[in-house]
Amino acid sequence: MSEQPDVTAVADQITAIAAVADNGVIGADNAIPWRLDGDFARLKRLTMGGVLVMGRKTFDSIPGTLPGRESFVVTRNPAWQAPGVRVFGDVDEALDTALATGKPVWVFGGGEIYRQAWARTTALEITHVHQQPEGDATFPAIDAAEWDEVAREEREGFSWVRYERRQLV
């Protein structure tokens, strides 16, 4: 008799997605300091149909809401708003509301949002960029004691890697 998969584990999955340089940099002056062939297409394919949870600065750095995805923006400014965006005062409220949609939940940046969501993040989709640019936004360190690498695809100058949080037994 085969065991049924734990559907709640999938429904409760929160995945952080980011392009991270070898020195941990993810941004400089509210922009990405590189362009990688195929990376935006991969990001679109992975996140389509999901909910993107991001900070206001990250939202301001993209060209508005991304088609086929919901945008949940976390900001300290309760008066801030943008068309097609749901606004939240804290990361936990945004994540709880995103999970309640039943859609895939993606932590989309920036550095402070990744850090605030880190304890609840269950998977990572990382583009490891083999560069060491200057920058002012960083990604949390991926500790091999907490994360298992489950997939890797090497590309020219970068790698696409999926991690899943280790389950404590």
Side-chain angles (χ1 to χ4, degrees):
M1 182 163 132
S2 68
E3 228 178 287
Q4 292 295 318
D6 182 0
V7 178
T8 57
V10 174
D12 291 344
Q13 188 169 66
I14 296 172
T15 305
I17 188 164
V20 183
D22 289 339
N23 59 357
V25 167
I26 58 173
D29 296 323
N30 211 29
I32 299 171
W34 52 73
R35 291 288 176 254
L36 305 173
D37 188 36
D39 200 45
F40 284 129
R42 177 178 179 267
L43 180 133
K44 180 179 180 180
R45 178 177 50 80
L46 290 173
T47 62
M48 188 58 66
V51 179
L52 305 178
V53 176
M54 69 190 90
R56 191 225 7 110
K57 289 181 193 174
T58 298
F59 181 80
D60 288 346
S61 74
I62 62 176
T65 58
L66 299 178
R69 290 149 282 190
E70 290 185 57
S71 294
F72 285 19
V73 173
V74 179
T75 179
R76 291 182 195 97
N77 179 354
W80 185 89
Q81 54 185 296
V85 171
R86 292 188 63 182
V87 180
F88 297 88
D90 68 68
V91 171
D92 282 326
E93 180 187 10
L95 290 174
D96 290 342
T97 305
L99 287 168
T101 69
K103 297 178 180 179
V105 177
W106 298 92
V107 180
F108 199 64
E112 186 58 31
I113 301 301
Y114 290 124
R115 278 183 273 293
Q116 290 181 30
W118 198 248
R120 296 183 65 183
T121 302
T122 55
L124 307 172
E125 286 288 351
I126 304 297
T127 300
H128 285 289
V129 181
H130 306 310
Q131 299 178 22
Q132 295 202 20
E134 294 291 319
D136 53 14
T138 59
F139 194 78
I142 301 169
D143 183 346
E146 293 180 43
W147 299 96
D148 286 321
E149 181 179 314
V150 297
R152 175 179 288 266
E153 183 179 339
E154 296 295 336
R155 309 289 287 196
E156 183 69 35
F158 62 96
S159 307
W160 288 325
V161 182
R162 178 174 176 81
Y163 298 89
E164 292 179 358
R165 188 177 291 278
R166 287 191 171 183
Q167 301 299 315
L168 299 177
V169 191

